[in-house]
Amino acid sequence: MTGRDASGGPDRGPTLPEELLLLALDPERGKPLCESSYLRYALAGAALAELEWAGRVGEGRGGRITVHNPLPLGDPVLDGALAALPDPTKGGQGDGGKARRWVRSAGRGVDELCRQRLEERGAIRRESRRALGLFRYERLTAGPVDLAGPAHARFKSALATGFADPCDRTFAALVAAVRLDRRLALGRDRRSVHRELKRLGREEWIARAVRSAVIEDESVGSGGAG
């Protein structure tokens, strides 16, 4: 799943955050199916999950990130996310801060890295547009290399197996954390699938951090805070 191994080996394909971005894209509108800011939190969470699998970070006390190893992996998306965490060899003492705060602060950067990488892979084209002739925004259209199809196929395969693989469970938990599952094809028994995804979202520590960031935004938007 990761782009390169720690020894700088060959590209193995899209990372989890790249796959998540492809899964979330509406090919007709060129925009995410869910709230853009929430998706950015999920992309940061997906990068954090990959870093955990690679032994670079782990779950600390109180929802904090512990940095075990600051050495880069050789993948631009993951190394960019890793660089956004405090380096324990430079006084950081391994404390990467609260995961909820980190996905909020790192989300925009990880999103941009994913877009750059997918454009390099030929999976998307980035088109600059202006709404009402004033406000600039970006559309993401399909490129010549189909990586969105495999991303959707992987999610469907994981769904069919009940998310038995730990990586698939994290994938599903992040999808649920930003309510992207409400916009995806989940088969006939959507209600039970939603329940299962919600359960996974509660169990996965990174997904909980993403969900907390989403809830914080929703609270501010409804006048509950800030």
Side-chain angles (χ1 to χ4, degrees):
M1 186 183 302
T2 54
R4 291 180 182 272
D5 60 24
S7 62
D11 186 355
R12 299 188 201 141
T15 57
L16 182 63
E18 291 172 72
E19 285 189 301
L20 185 57
L21 178 56
L22 290 168
L23 186 71
L25 281 180
D26 181 337
E28 294 185 1
R29 296 171 56 245
K31 296 180 180 181
L33 293 166
C34 60
E35 178 68 36
S36 295
S37 59
Y38 301 167
L39 177 59
R40 288 195 288 266
Y41 303 156
L43 297 179
L48 193 64
E50 288 256 25
L51 293 175
E52 182 179 36
W53 300 333
R56 297 307 193 260
V57 304
E59 180 183 8
R61 292 183 179 180
R64 305 185 77 84
I65 303 168
T66 298
V67 181
H68 299 306
N69 184 345
L71 293 178
L73 291 161
D75 179 90
V77 175
L78 303 184
D79 290 347
L82 184 60
L85 289 162
D87 187 340
T89 67
K90 297 179 179 179
Q93 299 180 338
D95 185 359
K98 287 276 191 178
R100 172 181 56 81
R101 293 176 183 169
W102 186 83
V103 298
R104 290 177 64 88
S105 63
R108 190 175 295 275
V110 173
D111 181 27
E112 175 59 24
L113 288 169
C114 286
R115 292 176 184 228
Q116 291 177 2
R117 192 69 176 111
L118 289 173
E119 185 177 35
E120 291 170 358
R121 293 183 190 278
I124 63 170
R125 291 189 177 95
R126 303 174 68 173
E127 301 177 353
S128 181
R129 301 288 183 89
R130 288 189 181 274
L132 303 176
L134 297 173
F135 306 105
R136 183 183 176 278
Y137 69 96
E138 185 173 80
R139 290 185 77 251
L140 301 180
T141 59
V145 179
D146 179 21
L147 294 180
H152 282 268
R154 187 168 101 75
F155 184 78
K156 289 180 180 178
S157 176
L159 177 62
T161 60
F163 303 104
D165 182 84
C167 299
D168 291 340
R169 286 199 292 273
T170 299
F171 195 13
L174 291 168
V175 166
V178 294
R179 301 194 185 97
L180 178 58
D181 54 312
R182 298 181 181 182
R183 304 297 303 275
L184 299 175
L186 300 177
R188 295 181 179 179
D189 196 1
R190 293 180 62 87
R191 184 172 297 180
S192 64
V193 173
H194 283 307
R195 285 198 299 268
E196 176 64 10
L197 292 176
K198 189 174 182 179
R199 181 185 67 80
L200 292 173
R202 292 194 299 266
E203 292 179 353
E204 298 280 337
W205 73 279
I206 295 175
R208 289 199 303 270
V210 171
R211 184 69 188 134
S212 293
V214 170
I215 291 174
E216 184 176 344
D217 279 12
E218 291 176 336
S219 177
V220 170
S222 65

